[in-house]
């Protein structure tokens, strides 16, 4: 991935740049841009902690190639990760605490779950009024094939005590200064679901460092924050984990609030499943097209539900036509869609996409505003010019 030195400096503290220090993951390329190993053509949202967004045109393949898969890090990636020394401990409300090596995990029956992973803050940049946080636009989302043992097989070996109600994950991130560590928990019911994994592989190869090598949780259908990377500790708790990334982080108001309004912590709940959403991969926003015959395509997903249909509007939302859904499907994965449209004449157009899920939820024209800008899922749109 290449970015200019100017963008790098914009994203990095002046002191760091002045000292000539570069994040250990990065290096200068010969043409004076910054290279992030294994990532190609991504939008850089932050380099202090690596946050990379997928350009929306990559939402055109059922499985997102790893080099184009978004990266969301709350802190520094672990600087050293040795597969041979790595251990995963399972403790808390269990009969038999365990310490497992990578070889122990690899010996357990492996399962593959194809799942769309989306950051809770994807689309935050479109919230009005503005909300703080990484200003993700449309591409903090991707679909991967994750492989590894069921989390429930590991929990069964440890024997969850009746008091165990929540499962906490802790990763090996390097915590800067006094920042609280990235620790979160999920309810036991989701942890023991047949599709919740300790993933060791992504798209048929070992996880890369950006995506949690050597092991990450895969909590399909839920916001990406549930899927802890660089997993080192699993702890069964009698209640939800109480820490910064569970409260006040990653919470939504219980009732819709007016845009800009504050909400009391006791009137909030943790963000869990993703909502229904679609993205237009092509044409790209701002494209100038030479032909009036236009192939519109993209992807749509719905967390724990399935996509029922996707509609396209080319007339400002006055009328909607059904898009054709792609043949590839998996319960937690996005569905590709396409629609061929003949623009009546040259000029400027706005193309919109609107998905509806199997539970009857349809993307709204305006997303529900909340103070952290989570779960933005308004109808997607691109503006194009047809020159023909
Ligand atoms: N796990 C750890 N240990 N540290 C993190 O910062 N970020 C979470 C989650 N797991 C994070 C983590 C968030 S907010 C998201 S959206 C997903 O990882 C992103 O996964 P990816 O970087 O593989 O796309």
């Amino acid at each position: 991935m290449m970015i200019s030195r100017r963008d790098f400096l914009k994203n990095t503290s002046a002191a760091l740049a002045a000292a000539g220090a570069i994040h250990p993951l990065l290096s200068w390329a010969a043409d004076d841009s910054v290279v992030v190993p294994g990532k190609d053509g991504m939008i850089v949202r932050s380099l202090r902690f690596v946050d990379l967004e997928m350009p929306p045109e990559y939402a055109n393949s059922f499985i997102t190639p790893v080099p184009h898969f978004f990266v969301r890090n709350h802190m520094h990636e672990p600087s050293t990760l040795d597969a041979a020394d790595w251990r995963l401990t399972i403790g808390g409300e269990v009969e038999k605490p365990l310490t497992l090596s990578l070889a122990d995990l690899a010996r357990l029956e492996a399962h593959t779950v194809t799942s769309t992973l989306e950051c809770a803050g994807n689309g935050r940049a479109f919230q009005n009024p503005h909300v703080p946080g990484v200003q993700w636009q449309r591409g903090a989302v991707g679909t991967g094939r994750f492989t590894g043992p069921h989390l429930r097989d590991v929990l069964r070996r440890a024997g969850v005590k009746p008091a165990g109600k929540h499962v906490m994950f802790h990763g090996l991130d390097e915590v800067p200064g006094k920042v609280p560590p990235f620790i979160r928990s999920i309810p036991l019911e989701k942890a023991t679901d047949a599709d919740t994994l300790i993933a060791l592989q992504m798209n048929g190869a070992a996880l890369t460092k950006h995506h949690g090598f050597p092991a990450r949780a895969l909590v399909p259908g839920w916001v990406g924050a549930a899927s802890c990377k660089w997993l080192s500790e699993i702890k069964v708790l009698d209640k939800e984990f109480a820490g910064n990334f569970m409260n006040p982080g990653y919470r939504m108001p219980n009732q819709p609030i007016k845009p800009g309004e504050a909400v009391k912590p006791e009137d909030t709940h943790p963000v869990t499943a993703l909502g229904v959403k679609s993205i237009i991969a092509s044409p790209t926003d701002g494209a100038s097209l030479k032909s009036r015959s236009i192939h519109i395509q993209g992807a749509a997903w719905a967390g724990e539900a399935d996509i029922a249909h996707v509609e396209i509007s080319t007339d400002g939302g006055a009328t909607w036509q059904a898009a054709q859904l792609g043949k590839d499907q998996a319960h937690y994965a996005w569905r590709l869609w396409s629609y061929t449209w003949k623009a009546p004449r040259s000029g400027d157009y706005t193309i919109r996409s609107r998905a509806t899920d199997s539970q009857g939820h349809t993307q709204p024209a305006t997303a529900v505003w909340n103070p952290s800008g989570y779960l933005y899922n308004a109808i997607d749109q691109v503006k194009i010019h047809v020159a023909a």
Side-chain angles (χ1 to χ4, degrees), residues 292-296 314 339-344 349 351 384 386:
R292 285 201 284 127
S293 184
I294 298 168
H295 188 63
I296 305 170
T314 54
Y339 179 73
T340 301
W341 174 58
K342 180 108 181 154
Y349 292 94
I351 300 171
I384 60 159
V386 179

Side-chain angles (χ1 to χ4, degrees), residues 54 57-66 69 112-117 141-146 203 281 297-301 306-307 325-337:
M54 175 191 76
E57 53 267 34
Y58 292 121
N60 65 353
S61 67
F62 184 58
I63 302 296
T64 311
V66 174
F69 208 99
T112 294
V113 174
T114 302
S115 176
T116 293
L117 207 63
V141 61
T143 297
R145 254 182 315 117
F146 296 91
N203 298 357
Q297 60 172 336
W301 60 98
D306 293 315
I307 288 295
L325 297 181
K327 61 176 185 352
D328 291 323
Q329 48 183 317
H331 181 48
Y332 297 100
W334 65 22
R335 194 88 188 260
L336 298 182
W337 53 261

Side-chain angles (χ1 to χ4, degrees), residues 70-72 74 119 173 182 211 216 224 227 229-230 250:
F70 82 101
V71 177
R72 172 52 171 141
H74 279 275
C119 182
D173 324 43
F182 185 81
H211 297 293
R216 76 177 301 167
S227 295
K229 302 193 280 189
W230 315 293
Y250 289 105

Side-chain angles (χ1 to χ4, degrees), residues 47 104 125 290:
L47 280 176
D104 294 332
K290 293 204 172 66

